[in-house]
Amino acid sequence: MRATVIHAPHDIRVQEVPDPTIQQPTDVVLRVLRACICGSDLWAYRGESARQPGQRIGHEFLGVVEEAGSGVNGFAVGDLVVAPFVWSDGVCTYCAEGLTTSCPQGGFWGSAGSDGGQGEAVRVPFADGTLVKLPAAAASDDRLLTALLALSDVLGTGHHAAVGAEIRPGSTVAVVGDGAVGLCGVMAAKRLGAERIIALGRHTARTDIARAFGATDVVAERGDAALAAVRELTRGEGAHCVIEAVGTEQSMRTAIGIVRDGGSIGYVGVPHGSGTGLDLGVMFDRNIALRGGVAPVRAYIPELLPDVLDGTIDPSPVFDVTVGLDEVPGGYKAMDERTALKVLIKP
């Protein structure tokens, strides 16, 4: 079959790889209907996170079960399913607590030796603990299928940030980052009842989506000017809740600078480029809470799925470019050059 592999920085190829097969009774083989490129994939693309030459890549996908191991109880051939970006056994103490990303038997798609999502098919370990079944009719609804793909990562990650930021009805929220996760954070804040949502971003196409998702204000400034603008919008106090969806030291400094004393920051941007660290003394003096990390999206899918199915929320606009499998290298280039927000892949 064909799949996307990374050979070196800026060297993404689509090539023949071995077909996935059932290796354990708890496996399924999944035919991929939709996949996409994540902003975090760009760190490998840019050479900022190490990959082995020829390693598979991609961690967001949904598809149809083509083969199921003898130990799989919850799925059958033909089922439409979505895969969170981490597989997990579903039975350990961490999974029971909803922290599926810490499952000792879990792992990330595209890690060394595993299949990646940007291909024609994937072997899914621990299918019963990992996959979530979708309505079969969704396979013939292109918009809904695209919206459901967001459950594999960005929608759940935005929700995780909103939960970490302790967003509640009536709160004022600021969102640092205008990528797909930040935009889904805006949607999550609206869903959780935020009264005011301030989106920080400079790209009109993205901030237009932010407004459609529920943002009441947009701040295009950066650095000290952004801090001043948010303070001006909040009577000098700052936002009760801040979502940090970038992962740089500067974005975290911005988050701390715009949060209200006693407020909370939910951080989900994959950390990269931090050098000098942050002053915990500032957070201590101002009673700022910091909570977040890698999102256990498998735990959130059952909560978010009904709202996607009935149209209460529709994250599909974050996918602004669609490519076939052979065009994936160009999709990486477009996202790296910020001419695409998030690239949808139709294998």
Side-chain angles (χ1 to χ4, degrees):
M1 69 167 211
R2 294 180 304 146
T4 306
V5 298
I6 182 167
H7 286 268
H10 300 280
D11 186 0
I12 296 284
R13 307 178 196 175
V14 177
Q15 60 188 54
E16 295 290 326
V17 301
D19 291 336
T21 59
I22 300 294
Q23 297 180 17
Q24 299 293 332
T26 52
D27 292 349
V28 304
V29 172
L30 186 71
R31 176 170 55 87
V32 177
L33 294 183
R34 295 289 185 277
C36 55
I37 302 172
C38 182
S40 64
D41 291 331
L42 296 180
W43 304 124
Y45 180 74
R46 294 166 179 161
E48 296 183 36
S49 59
R51 293 292 188 275
Q52 298 175 5
Q55 189 171 329
R56 298 279 297 277
I57 196 167
H59 55 261
E60 300 165 277
F61 60 95
L62 57 74
V64 175
V65 175
E66 287 211 321
E67 187 178 359
S70 60
V72 175
N73 299 310
F75 302 97
V77 172
D79 284 345
L80 179 68
V81 295
V82 63
F85 65 83
V86 171
W87 71 80
S88 53
D89 63 21
V91 297
C92 71
T93 55
Y94 286 112
C95 287
E97 294 167 3
L99 194 62
T100 51
T101 50
S102 290
C103 176
Q105 297 196 87
F108 290 79
W109 309 112
S111 56
S114 74
D115 291 344
Q118 295 167 11
E120 293 181 314
V122 176
R123 180 182 75 89
V124 178
F126 302 108
D128 285 332
T130 300
L131 300 173
V132 176
K133 190 179 297 186
L134 303 172
S140 59
D141 185 332
D142 191 63
R143 183 210 56 79
L144 178 57
L145 204 61
T146 300
L148 291 168
L149 176 62
L151 290 166
S152 65
D153 185 347
V154 289
L155 183 59
T157 298
H159 178 73
H160 186 55
V163 170
E166 300 181 342
I167 295 172
R168 55 202 177 276
S171 55
T172 294
V173 179
V175 179
V176 181
D178 61 1
V181 170
L183 295 173
C184 285
V186 170
M187 177 174 285
K190 177 71 172 179
R191 180 178 175 274
L192 293 176
E195 182 175 318
R196 191 171 196 182
I197 304 171
I198 304 166
L200 279 70
R202 297 182 298 163
H203 302 84
T204 303
R206 300 183 180 202
T207 54
D208 285 349
I209 296 174
R211 289 190 185 277
F213 282 2
T216 55
D217 304 272
V218 170
V219 168
E221 292 85 355
R222 301 185 75 180
D224 291 342
L227 271 58
V230 173
R231 293 280 173 176
E232 184 176 352
L233 289 169
T234 56
R235 302 182 305 278
E237 295 179 351
H240 299 104
C241 317
V242 175
I243 288 174
E244 190 285 314
V246 181
T248 63
E249 185 174 312
Q250 180 57 55
S251 64
M252 187 61 79
R253 290 188 183 280
T254 297
I256 292 171
I258 62 178
V259 70
R260 185 180 187 272
D261 285 17
S264 302
I265 299 171
Y267 72 104
V268 292
V270 178
H272 56 277
S274 296
T276 60
L278 299 168
D279 187 350
L280 291 180
V282 172
M283 299 178 68
F284 181 87
D285 290 343
R286 296 178 54 210
N287 279 282
I288 296 171
L290 180 65
R291 185 175 179 84
V294 57
V297 299
R298 176 60 181 84
Y300 296 133
I301 292 175
E303 175 184 351
L304 298 171
L305 176 58
D307 283 0
V308 176
L309 291 174
D310 68 15
T312 300
I313 55 176
D314 177 14
S316 63
V318 302
F319 299 97
D320 61 338
V321 173
T322 301
V323 300
L325 193 55
D326 289 335
E327 301 167 304
V328 168
Y332 272 84
K333 186 174 186 292
M335 284 184 62
D336 184 46
E337 295 175 348
R338 296 181 72 84
T339 57
L341 167 58
K342 190 168 182 65
V343 173
L344 176 71
I345 303 167
K346 293 184 177 180

